[in-house]
Amino acid sequence: MSDGAVPTRRRLRAGVTLSYGFGSVAYGAKDAAFGTFLLIYYNQVLGLNSFKVGLVIMAALVFDAFVDPMVGILSDRTRSRWGRRHPWMYASALPIAIGWLALWNPPSGSEAMRLGWLFGAAVIVRSAVSCFEVPSQALTPELTTDYDERTRVTAYRYLFGWAGGLSIVLLAYGVLLLPSAKYPIGLFNLDGYHALAVWSAILMVVAILVSALGTHGEIQRLPKVETERQSFGAVLRELWQTIHNRAFLILILAGVCAYTNQGIGYALANYFYAYAWQLGPGALQLLPLTLFVGAAAAFVIAPRIGRTTSKPRAACVFVILGASFYVFTYVLLLVGVLPPPGWARVALLYPLFAITTAFNVSSFILGASMMADVVEESQSRTGRRNEGVFFAGSFFVQKCTSGLGIAVAGGILALAGLQDKIDPTTASPAKVDHLVLYFVLIYGTLAMIAAFLFTRFPFGRAEHEARLAGLAAAEREGAPHIAAP
């Protein structure tokens, strides 16, 4: 693959930014339902063992390890009148909807049969989502090379992603998963989950098509990269050379820790709401709005901090602050100083939840913006633009949220003795304390590792600007710019 044109340094038009960001609604909706409700649905509603469910989701993650890089490679090498990314984005909509509806409607049968259905449907959904999200994320470094504009665009993606996810959570808690005569515990409402699957599928398809159509006019402005026919072995060697990149590997490892933490929190959220926090229906309906306040704050905070200081340093600080505030809520529970269940408890916890969300989402925004900057660092070394490969790795890490996170959550439930279907009103307080303690220890450890890794990221604004200048000069001279090792 030869060196292509360097993208333009520019501020994107409002319509392009909004439609591009709106595409993240699809992943947000999928991630919220998959991460927050799938484990409790198969465990407490359908009656499957939580540890087995976690292992099945983890097994599906193994397929992602192969699917995501292949989507990235194929996307990088796609040539069509619609460019490299858009054919994949358009084609993903229908398979996502079909796989998603299958995931939430397993047929009656044995536990083994239902676990097999879960595995197959999860693989279809996650692979189809990759076919949209990997090419979509790869557009970030192609749309602009501006260091700060990338953070701003990424902030929009995260804002819309959280809006999509929390809209699904709000719909679930406020409309579909309410107590009824048939289902006294709203979180165990089977009919509500079936309706949630339909509405979230519709939302995902709409978001994908709006994003693809809204950015379609940018195709002619994207980098034109030539490719040569290569053997499969040559493609694999090129892939290895591309990902053998210190900055990329640091972001991947930090992301595995941070997103796995998020995944564990998502998967255990409803267990904590029911067993630990003991939140009522009214409080659950207010929760998505509280979390969105935090996400909206990150939308403002991350780009501003990114303009005034080092992205890696800021990401490190945000991870530490987010983990500290989050763990603090559980420490209050363990030491017994929380108010009794009710609105006084909500008034104490919800501001802390919002602050935690603001810090955590800010770290994710800056991490994704740093991944976009890695593209030119790699181009300066290899002479190739491999946005798809890099963002395939990034997206694989994000999917650890609902893969590795659910697997770890299932293990935590098993250690605490809560792996089987248990009525929250009869759950042992000692088991709930063990659940909280194991979670806090794992969450705090992963957060500190992620924070440390961000401090090892090898370049910042000055190096990025110098690199762009070298690439632009090489392009004017008609030769690929290869930096000295």
Side-chain angles (χ1 to χ4, degrees):
M1 182 181 294
S2 64
D3 183 48
V6 179
T8 306
R9 181 196 298 268
R10 60 186 175 122
R11 185 180 177 89
L12 301 180
R13 292 182 291 109
V16 173
T17 302
L18 292 173
S19 59
Y20 180 52
F22 189 72
S24 290
V25 167
Y27 183 69
K30 171 264 172 190
D31 205 40
F34 200 107
T36 306
F37 297 107
L38 190 65
L39 178 60
I40 199 169
Y41 173 65
Y42 272 85
N43 172 220
Q44 296 294 317
V45 179
L46 300 184
L48 276 63
N49 181 279
S50 68
F51 186 65
K52 294 178 182 178
V53 172
L55 288 179
V56 168
I57 298 298
M58 183 66 183
L61 185 66
V62 174
F63 272 74
D64 290 337
F66 296 96
V67 171
D68 289 354
M70 290 308 301
V71 171
I73 292 171
L74 293 173
S75 172
D76 281 340
R77 303 180 70 82
T78 295
R79 296 296 173 267
S80 76
R81 61 189 180 90
W82 287 354
R84 296 195 288 174
R85 315 301 177 189
H86 283 75
W88 291 86
M89 294 164 66
Y90 285 118
S92 66
L94 184 59
I96 286 176
I98 294 173
W100 187 251
L101 293 175
L103 181 66
W104 297 93
N105 292 274
S108 300
S110 66
E111 180 182 63
M113 190 276 290
R114 286 193 161 189
L115 288 172
W117 182 276
L118 168 63
F119 175 79
V123 168
I124 292 172
V125 168
R126 294 161 72 92
S127 299
V129 169
S130 294
C131 290
F132 170 74
E133 194 67 14
V134 169
S136 179
Q137 288 190 19
L139 283 176
T140 299
E142 292 186 318
L143 289 168
T144 179
T145 59
D146 187 270
Y147 191 73
D148 297 318
E149 178 68 358
R150 285 176 170 176
T151 305
R152 189 183 74 88
V153 171
T154 302
Y156 271 96
R157 288 187 63 85
Y158 274 82
L159 180 68
F160 277 111
W162 273 81
L166 293 178
S167 66
I168 292 299
V169 174
L170 182 60
L171 179 65
Y173 291 147
V175 180
L176 301 177
L177 300 183
L178 296 178
S180 65
K182 185 178 179 181
Y183 300 105
I185 300 176
L187 286 173
F188 302 165
N189 188 327
L190 177 64
D191 297 335
Y193 283 104
H194 291 164
L196 184 65
V198 173
W199 285 109
S200 51
I202 292 172
L203 181 60
M204 286 189 285
V205 170
V206 169
I208 288 169
L209 295 180
V210 167
S211 183
L213 290 169
T215 56
H216 195 97
E218 298 297 305
I219 292 173
Q220 298 305 315
R221 299 184 180 91
L222 301 179
K224 306 299 186 296
V225 182
E226 298 299 326
T227 60
E228 300 174 355
R229 294 182 64 87
Q230 293 177 299
S231 67
F232 183 68
V235 171
L236 290 181
R237 286 192 294 273
E238 182 180 295
L239 173 64
W240 173 252
Q241 185 182 16
T242 299
I243 65 174
H244 193 66
N245 179 299
R246 182 187 175 204
F248 172 72
L249 294 176
I250 286 173
L251 289 180
I252 288 295
L253 292 174
V256 166
C257 295
Y259 277 105
T260 298
N261 258 353
Q262 179 173 279
I264 298 170
Y266 278 2
L268 293 178
N270 284 314
Y271 292 88
F272 286 131
Y273 301 153
Y275 298 123
W277 308 126
Q278 300 179 39
L279 301 179
L284 287 175
Q285 292 170 24
L286 180 62
L287 180 63
L289 300 178
T290 302
L291 299 180
F292 188 72
V293 168
F299 171 76
V300 176
I301 293 170
R304 292 188 178 183
I305 294 297
R307 287 195 298 267
T308 59
T309 188
S310 160
K311 290 182 191 178
R313 185 181 305 115
C316 169
V317 172
F318 284 141
V319 168
I320 293 173
L321 290 175
S324 298
F325 276 93
Y326 195 40
V327 167
F328 179 63
T329 61
Y330 292 96
V331 171
L332 293 177
L333 178 67
L334 288 173
V335 299
V337 299
L338 280 179
W343 287 107
R345 175 175 289 194
V346 170
L348 175 62
L349 289 176
Y350 277 30
L352 294 174
F353 289 168
I355 292 170
T356 296
T357 301
F359 286 136
N360 286 341
V361 175
S362 293
S363 70
F364 292 144
I365 290 172
L366 292 171
S369 180
M370 289 154 62
M371 183 64 76
D373 299 334
V374 171
V375 171
E376 283 80 28
E377 193 275 340
S378 174
Q379 184 182 6
S380 70
R381 290 188 306 103
T382 67
R384 298 186 299 270
R385 291 192 67 89
N386 294 104
E387 295 93 340
V389 170
F390 285 123
F391 280 92
S394 176
F395 187 54
F396 172 72
V397 167
Q398 291 182 44
K399 287 199 294 188
C400 288
T401 294
S402 51
L404 183 58
I406 288 178
V408 174
I412 292 174
L413 288 168
L415 286 173
L418 295 169
Q419 71 271 26
D420 296 314
K421 188 171 183 177
I422 299 176
D423 189 329
T425 61
T426 62
S428 164
K431 290 182 178 180
V432 174
D433 287 345
H434 287 147
L435 172 66
V436 172
L437 181 61
Y438 295 143
F439 171 75
V440 166
L441 291 175
I442 293 173
Y443 189 96
T445 300
L446 290 176
M448 292 306 102
I449 295 173
F452 171 76
L453 288 168
F454 276 128
T455 67
R456 314 312 297 171
F457 192 75
F459 64 85
R461 182 190 302 273
E463 295 85 354
H464 177 73
E465 298 297 342
R467 194 171 294 119
L468 287 180
L471 290 170
E475 185 180 6
R476 288 193 298 269
E477 296 170 2
H481 172 67
I482 307 295

